Amino acid sequence: MHGPSPRRPPMRAGSLRDGMTSRRDRMNHVVLTGDRPTGPLHLGHYFGSLANRVRLQDTYEMYVLIADYQVITDRDLPGSIQRNITELLLDYLAVGIDPAKVIVFQHSAIPELNQLLLPFLSLVSVAELSRNPTVKDEIAHSSQQAVSGLMYTYPVHQAADILFCKGTLVPVGRDQLPHVEVTRLVARRFNERYGEVFPLPEAMMGEQPLLKGLDGGKMSKSRGNAIALSATEDETAALIRKARTDSERLITFDETNRPEVANLLTLAGLCLGRAPRDIADEIGYGGAAALKRLVTEAVNEFLRPIRKRRAEHTEGDVRRILAEGNERARERAVITLGEVRDAMGF
Ligand code: TRP
């Protein structure tokens, strides 16, 4: 069982790199990470963070959050939220996140997170909230009528996500680093004002090369340039057929001058566990057609066991797993909120 974790001293600043074997790496970490349920996860998510999670779940106490309240930060309506939550959990199960090892839970089931938000908000200034680069970027791309208060404050709610379980390690993409910084700020100031309650968490970034979308732009579900983990063989083949390449017959791995070709080689390399350069050598003068054939086969082969595991789970499984995860996460949150209130003298 995952009881409350023992108090541990705050940790040094900085972020941890995948594969680094420092003393801290072998510490008793509590890992927390999560996703907004806005649509299917894709291969970029897999190589960027899901693979890390599957690896970490065997070693550490681990929480994975379905950040449903965070959906309404950059759009006015939650959309098909129940459907998206179910699909997200199926994605997790499909890639091998094991609910016997990991607590999967959702924002909206843990009211204590909202209670933690208020004292945490008192610890940061409006100026600090306004200069968060990820928030600025989201405002620039937002579909909202007006920028809401939640847009500026959700990083502090995210601090509650990480601190409620005394998380120490947060596997995330680069865009989330400012939020981990906010979390560290909140934890440090809380400890200074009210006494030592929280460890200072560290971000952990994947070591994998950044995968771009099939059109060469940022891989994103909304741009139609991503291969979803739930894509069928035919959908996968169609997406790769449309991928941008060039007319050079000799396939080479040249990230600067041929970024689209290099990206396809990187994708195949990740799926096959091979060096992109070797794959390029193998294709030689086969041109874009041979390249796409190889990539399609590699991706479909890679996704086969993931598709199979996905199909093994029912909606009933999903409901049961979430109910259980929510209950366990909530138990943990109640304990931390109690400590916070005690420390503050409420
Ligand atoms: N902001 C993250 C995203 O957009 C999701 C998220 C919410 C998260 N709370 C978190 C990630 C806590 C890591 C830790 O994908």
Side-chain angles (χ1 to χ4, degrees):
M1 271 306 286
H2 293 249
S5 40
R7 283 236 187 140
R8 62 179 65 70
M11 283 180 288
R12 280 200 289 115
S15 61
L16 212 56
R17 275 252 149 211
D18 184 16
M20 200 171 107
T21 49
S22 66
R23 196 176 57 76
R24 282 171 297 150
D25 220 9
R26 294 188 296 275
M27 280 184 52
N28 221 2
H29 278 299
V30 176
V31 181
L32 180 130
T33 187
D35 304 281
R36 297 180 187 184
T38 51
L41 296 180
H42 51 62
L43 285 170
H45 294 119
Y46 183 84
F47 293 112
S49 117
L50 295 169
N52 248 345
R53 299 183 197 176
V54 175
R55 199 169 51 77
L56 292 168
Q57 70 181 350
D58 293 322
T59 315
Y60 300 119
E61 179 180 350
M62 183 160 162
Y63 294 81
V64 174
L65 164 64
I66 296 182
D68 53 4
Y69 272 167
Q70 225 181 70
V71 170
I72 45 170
T73 53
D74 67 349
R75 61 202 76 194
D76 289 331
L77 291 167
S80 326
I81 190 76
Q82 291 311 329
R83 186 74 248 150
N84 288 344
I85 289 169
T86 302
E87 293 297 323
L88 183 55
L89 191 59
L90 285 171
D91 282 337
Y92 290 161
L93 297 170
V95 298
I97 288 180
D98 180 353
K101 298 176 185 155
V102 175
I103 297 178
V104 185
F105 68 105
Q106 57 194 127
H107 268 155
S108 60
I110 320 288
E112 288 72 20
L113 293 176
N114 304 56
Q115 285 229 24
L116 289 171
L117 176 64
L118 293 191
F120 286 2
L121 276 173
S122 77
L123 299 167
V124 292
S125 71
V126 170
E128 283 161 345
L129 292 175
S130 336
R131 60 170 174 253
N132 183 310
T134 296
V135 167
K136 281 190 188 166
D137 185 63
E138 281 171 332
I139 289 171
H141 293 100
S142 166
S143 65
Q144 280 177 321
Q145 299 282 327
V147 181
S148 70
L150 185 58
M151 177 60 99
Y152 285 100
T153 52
Y154 88 80
V156 182
H157 191 252
Q158 189 157 328
D161 298 342
I162 296 169
L163 295 176
F164 91 91
C165 61
K166 310 226 173 144
T168 59
L169 196 58
V170 189
V172 281
R174 182 168 296 279
D175 63 318
Q176 297 296 303
L177 293 184
H179 300 348
V180 178
E181 274 314 308
V182 169
T183 306
R184 295 170 61 85
L185 197 69
V186 165
R188 183 152 26 82
R189 287 186 185 155
F190 188 94
N191 292 346
E192 278 164 14
R193 257 180 228 188
Y194 300 111
E196 208 66 30
V197 171
F198 296 113
L200 302 196
E202 298 181 56
M204 178 194 213
M205 285 192 294
E207 260 203 339
Q208 302 294 355
L210 187 68
L211 259 189
K212 293 203 209 57
L214 295 170
D215 56 0
K218 180 179 185 284
M219 188 182 274
S220 149
K221 47 201 165 200
S222 58
R223 299 186 196 193
N225 65 1
I227 302 170
L229 299 173
S230 54
T232 64
E233 291 211 12
D234 290 347
E235 285 163 354
T236 302
L239 274 167
I240 295 170
R241 205 176 305 124
K242 280 191 313 191
R244 188 176 305 169
T245 49
D246 56 36
S247 52
E248 193 83 43
R249 282 209 66 80
L250 178 64
I251 296 301
T252 54
F253 184 70
D254 179 348
E255 289 173 290
T256 317
N257 299 309
R258 305 178 74 185
E260 293 92 358
V261 168
N263 189 50
L264 283 174
L265 288 166
T266 300
L267 175 57
L270 287 169
C271 289
L272 296 168
R274 291 180 56 191
R277 233 169 265 287
D278 292 348
I279 299 173
D281 288 347
E282 182 185 305
I283 298 169
Y285 283 95
L291 172 64
K292 287 185 177 180
R293 215 176 307 123
L294 185 144
V295 175
T296 303
E297 247 167 61
V299 171
N300 273 330
E301 195 59 41
F302 180 80
L303 287 178
R304 196 154 295 137
I306 293 180
R307 291 185 185 118
K308 185 164 168 281
R309 258 197 308 264
R310 188 186 186 87
E312 284 163 2
H313 290 96
T314 64
E315 295 212 11
D317 294 340
V318 167
R319 269 194 300 279
R320 183 180 47 74
I321 290 163
L322 258 186
E324 222 166 84
N326 284 339
E327 194 182 315
R328 292 170 71 188
R330 186 146 191 220
E331 278 167 18
R332 192 70 194 77
V334 166
I335 291 168
T336 301
L337 180 61
E339 287 178 49
V340 163
R341 292 159 63 127
D342 284 350
M344 297 176 74
F346 276 82

